[in-house]
Amino acid sequence: MQLFLFWCAALLMLVFGVAVILNRNPVASALSLVVSFLGLATLFMMLDAYFIGIIQVLVYAGAVMVLFLFIIMLLDLRAENLRKINWPATAGGAVVAFVFLIQVLSVIGRLTDAKKTFPPLARSTIDDVRNVGVTLFTNFNFPFQVIGVLVLVATIGVVVLSKRELANK
Amino acid sequence: MSIWPPQLEIAVLVLGAVLLLIEMFFVSLDKRAIAYAAIASLATILVATWYLAPALPAQATGLWSFYTADPLAIFFKRFALVTTIIVLVMMLDYTRRSTSSFALGEFFALPIFTCAGLMYMASAIDFVSIFVSLELVTISFYVLVGFDRKDPASLEAGVKYLVLSALSTGFLVYGITWIFGVTGLTNLNQITAAFEKIDIDKNAATFGALLVLVALGFKIAAVPFQIWVPDVYQGAPTPVTALLSVGSKAAGFVVLIRVLRPFLMLPHMDRLLLIITILTLLYGNLAALPEGNLKRLLAYSSIAHAGYLLIGIVCLDGAAITFYLVAYLLMTLLSFAVLIIVAQQTGESISDFDGLATRSPFLAFAMLMAMISLAGVPFTAGFFGKFFIFASAIAQHQFALAFIGVVTVGCGFYYYLKVVRAMYWNSSDKIDNIHVSMLSRVTMTALIIAIVWLGIYPQPIFRALEPTRISVALRSTTTR
């Protein structure tokens, strides 16, 4: 049952991930991304990472994607015209991706740990959210602060790049 | 005295935030004042690195498992600060004549955040902190590269950099995941210890290390990952190009030095690095030969110099790499500083430098010093940089590398001296004097003096690094 669910979620993710790229209509692309995120959330849930799964749905599929859709509709973006496909480049990219896939598969094939079944996780006495919070604010306090700066810089960047032209210059 | 170990970075961050707030609340303030204030404050912090540097604790727990303050880290913090100060001086020159309506306050404030990111990166000894600080640097670069929104070239460069950099970040995270999957660790020292054990899956660890190398190769512009370099360097505002070519590259090499110790315990790593080095040397130097645009020429030259630095990586000579990076900082920033001023008068191609010797003897001399140092003429810092690198290559019996290195230096002479020829031998129909501001004049003079000084007396750099003994530490791993 679990394996079946895994394949369902993984396929869903991959198919809609490809659809994000192939769709020429930005709204369709954004909605495909939502479905892809739902598949990802399912995978997280199956790994017992409920909190991350829920965040995936709430924040990514919910807030971020709705914002995307809002912006797409506000800007009134139209479907892109089909571009001429650059065949040599596409073929080259496909070859690189294929070689990379073979590489990953061969490494996994030789991985001894991959053949073992993992022992079931010990039931945590405290809930997920608390665990994540405690880890974030104690062990990973330092990277967490740097991420705070990162978000500040990103905010400044967005403001700068989307600001209307200054009139006084 | 140490209240909170990363106090130098925090000082830089507070400076950036305060400057942004001042810019916002004092609308009538001349935006240039922000740049002057930033330069002065960063110089103060630079001086403070000698007094406020935190002492290393005996045990690496808590914060100290992510962050280190060894001499290498402190040295590269100073390196980042110096780079940012000079880049801010360049930005002042760049915006003097610029017609585009820049959001000047942010243009001056963002490099400060980049600098903080570079400083964090110099201290990072854990994959998690490497990743977050790398992202801090990269995200501020996304904004800076595409800053000149009205210029399609800048926008194109911004998009190219965004897409390719995001891809390389993906590789980095995937690689870190593999290494974490094999060892269950992210701290580099602990990973080194874990790789010593036999029951580690070497295949999977090598795969992870390979992916991390891909991402770092992108940062340092090593060959198969260099395609973005010429376009992004050309399109970005020139001071940003300077920051990108010096700051980003130096940070990439610091991380590379740090991850090298665990990585070289894995099979095939040394051979892989050797191939990347040879490719980078050949590509960077050969592609630069026919180039007529100076900014693109400097982009290819930055790839070529990544190749020389990689020789140092292959030979595990941390001191030689550091010296080379310092020389690279001096000469690259000097050439960009001249380029910015000349480009505002005429343009960016080499033919725009025709007769610069008569138009502005000072600028021509500064460019001459930068070019002969980049080429590696004796009595310049660039010569000693290459000398130490080749010396360690020969000491490690990497004769092929030393040979290719020397041959490509020959190519370098051709394309660097092309610029010198344009300045001193070609005559120009334009006889107009170029004005150089006092601050830029002082900065360039300081850079010229530093190039000559280090070209005669290179010891100060080695002394600053001495307590680390990085090269010794690295060598001991290879003999194992």
Side-chain angles (χ1 to χ4, degrees):
Chain A
M1 180 61 196
Q2 259 218 325
L3 198 68
F4 174 72
L5 256 181
F6 167 79
W7 283 112
C8 282
L11 261 179
L12 198 74
M13 250 180 85
L14 288 178
V15 168
F16 280 90
V18 171
V20 175
I21 306 167
L22 292 186
N23 263 317
R24 289 290 145 194
N25 185 345
V27 177
S29 270
L31 287 175
S32 308
L33 197 56
V34 172
V35 182
S36 178
F37 280 153
L38 288 180
L40 186 61
T42 320
L43 288 184
F44 275 130
M45 301 260 189
M46 284 167 60
L47 291 169
D48 277 355
Y50 295 107
F51 179 66
I52 299 176
I54 288 165
I55 287 294
Q56 188 73 33
V57 175
L58 280 183
V59 176
Y60 284 85
V64 174
M65 287 320 297
V66 169
L67 208 60
F68 263 29
L69 282 176
F70 248 120
I71 292 166
I72 290 170
M73 289 176 175
L74 274 180
L75 294 180
D76 195 19
L77 293 180
R78 278 165 215 289
E80 231 179 285
N81 293 329
L82 268 182
R83 271 173 305 175
K84 244 174 87 193
I85 298 174
N86 183 356
W87 283 111
T90 316
V95 167
V96 170
F98 186 71
V99 169
F100 189 71
L101 182 71
I102 299 282
Q103 179 77 56
V104 174
L105 288 180
S106 83
V107 172
I108 292 176
R110 288 207 224 158
L111 200 67
T112 43
D113 284 344
K115 295 186 183 70
K116 283 186 243 166
T117 44
F118 277 100
L121 288 178
R123 274 261 156 260
S124 173
T125 46
I126 38 175
D127 51 311
D128 247 13
V129 185
R130 195 187 150 84
N131 257 336
V132 170
V134 166
T135 317
L136 212 54
F137 284 102
T138 54
N139 288 351
F140 290 88
N141 194 346
F142 173 67
F144 186 67
Q145 288 180 35
V146 180
I147 287 179
V149 180
L150 194 154
V151 174
L152 172 71
V153 171
T155 316
I156 298 168
V158 169
V159 171
V160 168
L161 289 183
S162 60
K163 197 155 65 175
R164 222 169 273 239
E165 293 301 329
L166 296 170
N168 57 345
K169 292 274 163 66
Chain B
M1 60 175 265
S2 173
I3 314 141
W4 170 241
Q7 47 200 314
L8 293 168
E9 286 87 345
I10 289 177
V12 174
L13 289 175
V14 169
L15 171 68
V18 166
L19 288 178
L20 277 177
L21 288 178
I22 291 176
E23 195 259 336
M24 195 172 83
F25 285 111
F26 297 86
V27 184
S28 57
L29 188 75
D30 182 14
K31 299 284 187 278
R32 269 165 219 296
I34 289 171
Y36 287 116
I39 291 168
S41 323
L42 285 176
T44 317
I45 295 171
L46 179 66
V47 173
T49 54
W50 271 274
Y51 303 101
L52 284 184
L56 274 174
Q59 274 187 325
T61 51
L63 171 88
W64 292 101
S65 62
F66 294 102
Y67 183 92
T68 180
D70 59 4
L72 182 73
I74 303 287
F75 186 86
F76 275 99
K77 281 184 209 299
R78 285 174 198 147
F79 190 99
L81 284 165
V82 170
T83 311
T84 315
I85 291 171
I86 299 173
V87 166
L88 280 168
V89 174
M90 286 186 209
M91 283 183 161
L92 277 170
D93 275 330
Y94 183 77
T95 50
R96 184 156 292 131
R97 288 269 191 102
S98 173
T99 47
S100 54
S101 53
F102 262 30
L104 279 182
E106 286 85 353
F107 194 55
F108 295 137
L110 275 170
I112 300 173
F113 289 103
T114 314
C115 176
L118 293 170
M119 288 165 77
Y120 275 127
M121 211 140 113
S123 282
I125 49 161
D126 185 293
F127 271 127
V128 177
S129 53
I130 287 175
F131 174 66
V132 290
S133 49
L134 201 75
E135 277 309 280
L136 174 55
V137 173
T138 320
I139 284 184
S140 59
F141 270 128
Y142 293 158
V143 184
L144 281 170
V145 169
F147 208 93
D148 198 354
R149 269 186 308 160
K150 278 197 173 162
D151 180 11
S154 176
L155 265 188
E156 187 198 324
V159 172
K160 270 187 185 158
Y161 188 68
L162 172 72
V163 172
L164 290 175
S165 191
L167 186 68
S168 88
T169 304
F171 276 107
L172 179 68
V173 180
Y174 194 42
I176 294 173
T177 317
W178 270 98
I179 292 173
F180 181 76
V182 173
T183 59
L185 301 163
T186 54
N187 184 289
L188 289 175
N189 295 328
Q190 291 168 7
I191 287 175
T192 312
F195 279 175
E196 281 172 356
K197 290 183 207 137
I198 309 155
D199 59 336
I200 283 289
D201 194 314
K202 283 274 157 76
N203 260 321
T206 313
F207 185 58
L210 185 84
L211 293 171
V212 172
L213 275 189
V214 170
L216 290 179
F218 177 88
K219 287 279 165 275
I220 61 173
V223 167
F225 322 108
Q226 88 299 356
I227 303 169
W228 60 282
V229 174
D231 290 346
V232 172
Y233 276 32
Q234 192 185 8
T238 315
V240 177
T241 312
L243 188 57
L244 198 61
S245 74
V246 177
S248 180
K249 188 173 298 247
F253 271 100
V254 180
V255 175
L256 199 55
I257 290 174
R258 295 226 190 266
V259 297
L260 210 55
R261 213 150 72 88
F263 280 12
L264 280 174
M265 294 178 179
L266 301 169
H268 308 304
M269 261 314 147
D270 43 349
R271 249 175 294 165
L272 189 81
L273 279 170
L274 190 71
I275 293 167
I276 291 179
T277 309
I278 292 174
L279 287 178
T280 311
L281 277 171
L282 291 177
Y283 179 88
N285 282 298
L286 295 181
L289 285 177
E291 194 51 63
N293 179 305
L294 188 59
K295 226 167 147 185
R296 281 182 88 88
L297 181 85
L298 285 171
Y300 286 118
S301 121
S302 126
I303 299 174
H305 286 283
Y308 297 119
L309 285 158
L310 277 170
I311 296 183
I313 291 281
V314 172
C315 302
L316 307 164
D317 196 339
I321 297 167
T322 315
F323 185 83
Y324 200 101
L325 275 171
V326 172
Y328 178 76
L329 172 143
L330 297 171
M331 54 212 192
T332 308
L333 289 183
L334 184 58
S335 50
F336 274 114
V338 178
L339 173 65
I340 287 170
I341 297 175
V342 175
Q344 286 183 345
Q345 206 93 9
T346 43
E348 285 169 357
S349 66
I350 294 180
S351 57
D352 291 321
F353 282 73
D354 283 354
L356 188 66
T358 51
R359 281 150 68 199
S360 169
F362 174 73
L363 284 181
F365 179 70
M367 200 55 157
L368 171 74
M369 288 310 292
M371 285 298 144
I372 63 171
S373 181
L374 281 167
V377 173
F379 303 114
T380 58
F383 168 75
F384 263 126
K386 289 205 173 69
F387 177 80
F388 291 130
I389 293 275
F390 291 151
S392 70
I394 288 166
Q396 299 278 312
H397 300 287
Q398 300 278 10
F399 296 115
L401 274 185
F403 176 72
I404 294 174
V406 171
V407 170
T408 50
V409 167
C411 297
F413 269 91
Y414 171 76
Y415 59 81
Y416 290 126
L417 295 187
K418 216 159 61 172
V419 182
V420 175
R421 194 189 65 188
M423 289 188 306
Y424 282 90
W425 276 274
N426 294 0
S427 57
S428 164
D429 36 329
K430 297 183 220 74
I431 307 288
D432 46 349
N433 283 323
I434 300 178
H435 171 74
V436 185
S437 75
M438 198 61 210
L439 186 61
S440 322
R441 204 174 272 269
V442 169
T443 314
M444 285 186 212
T445 314
L447 285 172
I448 294 170
I449 291 171
I451 285 175
V452 176
W453 187 37
L454 287 183
I456 296 166
Y457 183 65
Q459 270 80 5
I461 303 295
F462 293 118
R463 210 173 302 136
L465 278 172
E466 221 155 45
T468 44
R469 308 233 178 270
I470 24 171
S471 52
V472 179
L474 282 170
R475 286 231 172 79
S476 66
T477 58
T478 45
T479 52
R480 190 170 284 128

